[in-house]
Amino acid sequence: MSDSVGTTHMAHDYFDAMYADDSDPWRFDTSWYERRKYQIALSLLPRQRYRRALEPGCSIGSFTELLATRCDELVAFDFHEPSVVNARDRLADAPQVHVRHETFPGFWPEGTGDLVVWSEVAYYLNTRGASRAIAGLQNWLEPGGDLLAVHYTGATNYPRPGAEIATWLDSVGWLERTVECIDPSFEAGVWTRSA
């Protein structure tokens, strides 16, 4: 992918190829792995409700639909336009959800919020993209707000191994890991922004 300041993550071609013949190539809606991961991730959130949440890389909205039940407002986005259309259709009856066609880590909506969800997105970021993502997070996430990060930890061809995401986030001085789950296939955790 590229944005106005240069390459920050994997090329659009990779995702276009994945979605070419299948609107749900990772089986977000049908695999036990995904459904179980979603439930575990939601159970890690320390608050029952969030005022304003952000979910980059929402794809077809499978996790977005579940997350929406915990949020007064949720901005979800993806760069893959057909997936955005599917997510909008799926969430048409959820007026608190705004699905947008945008690119991560360049897009951050105006204002601030108390929850950011990086579910299977941070390992697509190269070093430059990771720096932009942390800068955007620092500007957008309110003090006391939570970052939920969930990533597959098996072998991939992505710029950053999923098993390294937690260590990377632990190195951010204003984030504190408050909850974690280590599964044989994925890691999930919540990092809270210091006040």
Side-chain angles (χ1 to χ4, degrees), residues 94-167:
Q96 81 278 24
V97 180
H98 312 283
V99 181
R100 298 187 50 153
H101 181 223
E102 304 287 352
T103 302
F104 179 69
F107 173 73
W108 293 86
E110 292 206 15
T112 61
D114 55 355
L115 176 64
V116 174
V117 175
W118 287 351
S119 180
E120 311 288 353
V121 296
Y123 47 41
Y124 295 123
L125 299 171
N126 61 23
T127 302
R128 182 178 189 164
S131 295
R132 289 194 69 202
I134 292 297
L137 182 67
Q138 187 171 22
N139 289 330
W140 200 84
L141 185 64
E142 299 164 352
D146 295 320
L147 168 67
L148 170 65
V150 185
H151 292 89
Y152 172 70
T153 53
T156 66
N157 60 347
Y158 305 151
R160 178 179 302 270
E164 294 179 7
I165 301 297
T167 302

